Amino acid sequence: MTINFKNTVEKLLPFGAAGVLFALIYHGLFYPHNLIAFIQSGIIGLLLGITTGIFEEYLLKDFFRQRPFTNALLLRTVLYAVIASIALMIVLTIVPFLLGKCPYKTCFMAYFWDSTFLRDLVFSMLIIFLTTLNVQVFLLIGSQNMRRLLTGQFHQPREINATFLFADIRGSTTLAEQLGHWQFSNLLSD
């Protein structure tokens, strides 16, 4: 397995797992329970999760990084809820069409104007908001602090061994003056 492929899998795997979890919860709450339907829901959730991961890791990563926490949280919630709702709309209207229950346009309009569409949209937004909020907090405080927060140890003092390194970049003052403070800060972050 090449390094790039392995890195891609490692980045997208959590999104795929979250998508499967979302789909299984959704299916368990709103649809009859049978193994085949759960497997189908899991596959759809996996595809949704990977799609979300591609958006998050490869297409919009810098876009969200430059936004304030609340704005990024709300933008992510709306974007991914729309993606999930479109996917659910396609799946939940194409199945009756393929089974010959109605023409596709009729199936689509019946789903869209039914309360099921609103339920799916609200459920998607709620789950995605909660998931995105947790991910944002996780990214802000890091995995060790998140573990400590969840286990109740976050506010307890602890002793750590740390090493600090102060370094200077040759010509950094001139570079900062030429680039401006925003671009120079981004350069240092990268």
Side-chain angles (χ1 to χ4, degrees):
M1 188 179 321
T2 66
I3 292 174
N4 287 339
F5 181 74
K6 183 179 177 187
N7 289 340
T8 300
V9 169
E10 286 176 356
K11 285 181 179 181
L12 296 181
L13 191 61
F15 292 100
V20 169
L21 182 63
F22 165 78
L24 294 178
I25 291 170
Y26 170 80
H27 188 90
L29 289 173
F30 301 119
Y31 290 96
H33 304 109
N34 67 53
L35 183 61
I36 300 297
F38 271 114
I39 291 171
Q40 290 170 336
S41 292
I43 292 169
I44 293 166
L46 179 66
L47 295 175
L48 271 173
I50 289 172
T51 301
T52 301
I54 291 169
F55 271 92
E56 191 69 24
E57 290 293 328
Y58 299 105
L59 301 177
L60 300 174
K61 189 172 192 167
D62 291 333
F63 176 78
F64 288 131
R65 185 187 302 168
Q66 297 169 357
R67 303 284 180 263
F69 180 85
T70 306
N71 291 357
L73 177 65
L74 295 176
L75 286 170
R76 281 180 165 116
T77 299
V78 170
L79 174 67
Y80 300 142
V82 166
I83 291 171
S85 295
I86 290 170
L88 287 170
M89 187 183 304
I90 291 168
V91 169
L92 295 175
T93 57
I94 211 162
V95 169
F97 167 71
L98 292 175
L99 295 174
K101 294 182 178 179
C102 55
Y104 185 73
K105 184 177 179 182
T106 305
C107 292
F108 178 84
M109 295 308 283
Y111 173 75
F112 186 75
W113 293 110
D114 188 52
S115 63
T116 307
F117 174 71
L118 184 59
R119 176 200 70 195
D120 292 346
L121 181 63
V122 170
F123 181 79
S124 297
M125 288 187 90
L126 178 66
I127 294 294
I128 290 166
F129 176 80
L130 293 173
T131 304
T132 305
L133 178 64
N134 285 321
V135 167
Q136 289 287 100
V137 170
F138 178 82
L139 291 173
L140 280 175
I141 68 173
S143 61
Q144 280 190 329
N145 286 331
M146 183 65 132
R147 181 187 49 78
R148 293 181 64 234
L149 181 68
L150 293 174
T151 59
Q153 300 171 353
F154 189 73
H155 296 289
Q156 296 174 354
R158 64 188 178 115
E159 186 177 310
I160 62 169
N161 292 322
T163 302
F164 292 92
L165 170 67
F166 295 96
D168 186 24
I169 300 172
R170 181 175 296 159
S172 63
T173 304
T174 306
L175 187 59
E177 290 171 351
Q178 290 173 348
L179 291 175
H181 63 278
W182 288 107
Q183 286 182 329
F184 185 69
S185 176
N186 288 337
L187 173 71
L188 292 177
S189 295
D190 289 342

